[in-house]
């Protein structure tokens, strides 16, 4: 039986959310939580818009919400609190998410093995009976040594939550831009249609080999783990997905509009430090209606990525 009571589980979840700078910045709220499941709300905000002309939320915002909700589901399923980290995350976008409408994610940890937790969930918008997206994720649990500590050394749920995610005065003043000042770059070319991309501050550099390089400048609000500290895994997913869309817009001749995400999967290699992050994409296959792209995301060394991702995108067609 879990050592969490209903109240302590709720308190832990609230501490978890308040301790993640990105989750706190975006005002995420726990709507419901029980053993192994959670419903998490992302309040509507104009900043989350990915396409003002089509009035759509940026798919990356759904990835951040889903990653956070899945992490909460894992924590709520544990009998005793321990560290855990996202291994991979897959999103399937079932229908276009409307901008300026609340989004909720209900995530369930359906299998908790000794080493890995498996989570699935659905994302809904207010007024819609059918989900706008589904998520499947796996998480690595803490090492065996952390789970074999003597009972006297085990923290209470409140103490564990405070140790893992309590807000700190995170000093990021010594983190500097990791791009040489003479590297030519411009803001990502979205035509002013994507407030979320503008919020992330993504810049585009010159094409190298297969395509342009994209830079995500470090911001304190993008932190997902203040204890390391490390960037939010969902933010990396949103950055990677954005990079693939921008890559297709830049490399496909005569494309009339931005491609729309069909599905997206990301695998995490290591923690992403609080520094500038880079991405470069490759078009794996391009058809008349759907393109498949992949992206490598790195920080200090392109040969040591922090994550790799791939996704299918619905390509816009010329009207006529």
């Amino acid at each position: 039986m879990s050592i969490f009571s209903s109240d302590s589980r709720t308190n832990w979840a609230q501490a978890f959310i308040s301790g993640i700078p990105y989750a706190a910045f975006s005002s995420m709220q726990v709507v419901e939580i029980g053993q192994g499941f959670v419903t998490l709300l992302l309040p509507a905000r104009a900043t989350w818009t990915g396409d003002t002309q089509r009035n759509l939320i940026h798919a990356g915002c759904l990835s951040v919400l889903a990653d956070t909700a899945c992490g909460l589901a894992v924590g709520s399923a544990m009998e005793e609190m321990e560290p855990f980290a996202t291994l991979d995350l897959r999103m399937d976008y079932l229908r276009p998410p409307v901008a300026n409408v609340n989004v909720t994610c209900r995530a369930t940890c359906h299998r908790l093995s000794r080493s890995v937790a498996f989570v699935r969930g659905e994302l809904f918008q207010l007024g819609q009976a059918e989900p706008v997206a589904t998520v499947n994720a796996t998480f690595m649990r803490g090492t065996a040594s952390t789970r074999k500590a003597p009972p006297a050394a085990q923290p209470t749920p409140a103490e564990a939550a405070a140790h893992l995610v309590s807000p700190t005065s995170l000093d990021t003043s010594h983190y500097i831009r990791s791009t040489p000042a003479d590297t030519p770059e411009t803001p990502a070319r979205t035509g002013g249609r994507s407030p979320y991309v503008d919020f992330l501050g993504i810049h585009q550099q010159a094409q190298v080999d297969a395509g342009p390089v994209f830079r995500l400048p470090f911001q304190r609000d993008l932190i997902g783990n203040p204890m390391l500290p490390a960037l939010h895994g969902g933010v990396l997913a949103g950055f990677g997905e954005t990079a693939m869309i921008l890559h297709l817009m830049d490399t496909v001749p005569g494309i009339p509009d931005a491609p729309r995400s069909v599905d997206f999967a990301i695998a995490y290699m290591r923690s992403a430090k609080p520094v500038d992050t880079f991405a470069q994409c490759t078009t794996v296959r391009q058809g008349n209606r759907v393109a498949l792209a992949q992206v490598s995301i790195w920080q200090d060394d392109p040969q040591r990525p922090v994550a790799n991702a791939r996704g299918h995108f619905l390509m816009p067609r010329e009207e006529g």
Side-chain angles (χ1 to χ4, degrees), residues 143-168:
T143 63
S145 61
T146 65
R147 297 196 294 274
K148 292 181 180 179
Q154 295 288 353
T156 66
E159 291 170 342
H163 171 71
L164 288 173
V165 298
S166 63
T168 61

Side-chain angles (χ1 to χ4, degrees), residues 235-274:
V235 171
L236 289 182
F239 174 47
E241 194 163 2
T242 299
M244 287 190 284
I245 292 172
L246 294 174
H247 168 85
L248 291 171
M249 294 175 65
D250 195 77
T251 58
V252 177
I255 186 171
D257 209 339
R260 185 161 60 84
S261 300
V262 176
D263 58 46
F264 174 82
I266 184 168
Y268 299 96
M269 311 298 181
R270 53 185 56 85
S271 297
K273 298 178 293 186

Side-chain angles (χ1 to χ4, degrees), residues 169-251:
S169 54
L170 185 62
D171 179 14
T172 57
S173 60
H174 59 291
Y175 295 112
I176 61 173
R177 172 175 167 170
S178 51
T179 300
D182 59 352
T183 300
E185 63 176 20
T186 59
R189 294 192 285 271
T190 64
R193 290 175 52 176
S194 183
Y196 185 67
V197 175
D198 294 339
F199 157 69
L200 292 179
I202 296 175
H203 280 65
Q204 180 171 330
Q205 300 176 0
Q207 179 165 330
V208 178
D209 299 327
V213 173
F214 301 95
R215 179 174 68 88
L216 173 69
F218 168 69
Q219 302 179 48
R220 185 191 182 282
D221 288 334
L222 303 185
I223 292 291
N225 185 333
M227 302 302 295
L228 292 178
L231 297 181
H232 195 297
V235 171
L236 289 182
F239 174 47
E241 194 163 2
T242 299
M244 287 190 284
I245 292 172
L246 294 174
H247 168 85
L248 291 171
M249 294 175 65
D250 195 77
T251 58

Side-chain angles (χ1 to χ4, degrees), residues 58-70:
H58 193 289
C61 297
L62 303 187
S63 298
V64 180
L65 174 64
D67 184 45
T68 308
C70 288

Side-chain angles (χ1 to χ4, degrees), residues 23-209:
F25 164 78
S26 58
S27 302
M28 291 184 187
Q29 303 168 22
V30 177
V31 176
E32 180 185 20
I33 189 168
Q35 185 168 359
F37 72 89
V38 67
T39 299
L40 188 64
L41 167 71
L42 177 67
R45 189 177 295 183
T47 306
W48 310 147
T49 304
D51 191 325
T52 54
Q53 290 188 13
R54 291 184 283 188
N55 194 37
L56 301 177
I57 292 177
H58 193 289
C61 297
L62 303 187
S63 298
V64 180
L65 174 64
D67 184 45
T68 308
C70 288
L72 278 168
V74 172
S76 70
M78 292 180 175
E79 293 184 355
E80 296 174 344
M81 186 46 54
E82 65 189 51
F84 54 88
T86 315
L87 288 175
D88 58 45
L89 180 126
R90 175 189 169 91
M91 300 289 297
D92 290 300
Y93 302 108
L94 308 183
R95 48 188 49 82
V98 180
N100 297 309
V101 177
N102 292 351
V103 186
T104 59
C105 178
R106 181 179 173 87
T108 301
C109 181
H110 59 92
R111 166 68 171 150
L112 189 66
S113 73
R114 293 188 61 180
S115 300
V116 181
F118 300 86
V119 189
R120 55 183 170 229
E122 294 181 317
L123 289 84
F124 292 86
Q125 287 196 292
L126 184 66
Q128 293 193 17
E130 299 295 328
V132 296
T134 60
V135 57
N136 287 274
T138 56
F139 289 76
M140 177 180 66
R141 298 182 63 179
T143 63
S145 61
T146 65
R147 297 196 294 274
K148 292 181 180 179
Q154 295 288 353
T156 66
E159 291 170 342
H163 171 71
L164 288 173
V165 298
S166 63
T168 61
S169 54
L170 185 62
D171 179 14
T172 57
S173 60
H174 59 291
Y175 295 112
I176 61 173
R177 172 175 167 170
S178 51
T179 300
D182 59 352
T183 300
E185 63 176 20
T186 59
R189 294 192 285 271
T190 64
R193 290 175 52 176
S194 183
Y196 185 67
V197 175
D198 294 339
F199 157 69
L200 292 179
I202 296 175
H203 280 65
Q204 180 171 330
Q205 300 176 0
Q207 179 165 330
V208 178
D209 299 327

